[in-house]
Amino acid sequence: MSIHLLFLALAATRTDPDTTVRLPRDGAVEIDSRSRDIVLHTGTTDMVVIRGGQGELDGGTLQISSEDRRGRGSGPIDVIVPVWAHVEVSSIGGNLTFNGTPDRLHAETVNGFIHVNGGSGALELETVAGGVVVNDFRGVSLSIDATGENVTVINAVGAVQVDNVNGDVVLRGIHASSVTAGGYNLYLFYP
């Protein structure tokens, strides 16, 4: 194999290094992406680990963007945050995936899909043209505001509020302290 081909092969397999930042105890995390997917996990330490994006700590707020310093970016931005953090996530066209949720999470996307696996605390989700699926949420409150695609919530505990203007709402295995739901069609399945 020529040196030139070897160099191209190595460049194609190179991954972005992780960035690790200690978040102050009263700190917040803001993640902004125009079109890239965002994957969020919760961790057990005060450290925020960022892969595929850039982070800048400004006072007590860690601002994470999905583009590199040259204005380019590809692949998902993957972030691990402390479980006690307050997190704001905003995307125009990317999908949002949450594997666990921190104590306070507000996430919005214009044209992306939102998928939540597990989670606790207070969770607010908003989407204009994407669908929402929430599985096994065990928190204080879950609020979903959608306009287009269907919303499905399976096995949720806590106060649940779902509004969907043009899509269906499917609720299955809900053990909530209160439930408010409205959609084009509403389907309730009991455990």
Side-chain angles (χ1 to χ4, degrees), residues 22-107:
R22 181 177 301 281
L23 189 66
R25 252 315 172 161
D26 57 348
V29 178
E30 296 175 355
I31 305 170
D32 183 33
S33 171
R34 292 183 184 172
S35 61
R36 290 174 56 197
D37 294 349
I38 297 172
V39 179
L40 186 85
H41 314 269
T42 54
T44 57
T45 70
D46 293 347
M47 304 306 283
V48 175
V49 179
I50 306 162
R51 167 154 275 188
Q54 301 294 318
E56 180 179 335
L57 188 59
D58 183 13
T61 301
L62 177 60
Q63 298 171 341
I64 300 171
S65 66
S66 60
E67 295 181 344
D68 67 14
R69 290 182 182 103
R70 294 173 300 276
R72 297 179 310 217
S74 63
I77 179 170
D78 195 294
V79 181
I80 301 172
V81 299
V83 71
W84 51 261
H86 177 168
V87 180
E88 299 275 338
V89 177
S90 178
S91 175
I92 295 173
N95 297 319
L96 309 178
T97 301
F98 303 104
N99 297 310
T101 60
D103 282 347
R104 291 181 292 161
L105 173 64
H106 178 262

Side-chain angles (χ1 to χ4, degrees), residues 7-183:
F7 177 74
L8 287 175
L10 289 174
T13 60
R14 199 185 93 215
T15 59
D16 293 331
D18 291 350
T19 300
T20 304
V21 178
R22 181 177 301 281
L23 189 66
R25 252 315 172 161
D26 57 348
V29 178
E30 296 175 355
I31 305 170
D32 183 33
S33 171
R34 292 183 184 172
S35 61
R36 290 174 56 197
D37 294 349
I38 297 172
V39 179
L40 186 85
H41 314 269
T42 54
T44 57
T45 70
D46 293 347
M47 304 306 283
V48 175
V49 179
I50 306 162
R51 167 154 275 188
Q54 301 294 318
E56 180 179 335
L57 188 59
D58 183 13
T61 301
L62 177 60
Q63 298 171 341
I64 300 171
S65 66
S66 60
E67 295 181 344
D68 67 14
R69 290 182 182 103
R70 294 173 300 276
R72 297 179 310 217
S74 63
I77 179 170
D78 195 294
V79 181
I80 301 172
V81 299
V83 71
W84 51 261
H86 177 168
V87 180
E88 299 275 338
V89 177
S90 178
S91 175
I92 295 173
N95 297 319
L96 309 178
T97 301
F98 303 104
N99 297 310
T101 60
D103 282 347
R104 291 181 292 161
L105 173 64
H106 178 262
E108 58 187 45
T109 182
V110 175
N111 199 24
F113 182 82
I114 300 174
H115 193 188
V116 178
N117 295 305
S120 60
L123 178 57
E124 296 176 9
L125 306 173
E126 297 179 37
T127 182
V128 175
V132 178
V133 174
V134 177
N135 290 302
D136 300 321
F137 179 76
R138 303 280 184 260
V140 176
S141 63
L142 170 62
S143 174
I144 302 172
D145 187 5
T147 305
E149 296 291 326
N150 295 340
V151 173
T152 302
V153 179
I154 300 170
N155 298 328
V157 174
V160 176
Q161 177 183 350
V162 180
D163 257 337
N164 193 357
V165 175
N166 293 318
D168 295 344
V169 174
V170 177
L171 302 175
R172 181 185 307 267
I174 306 300
H175 299 281
S177 55
S178 67
V179 177
T180 305

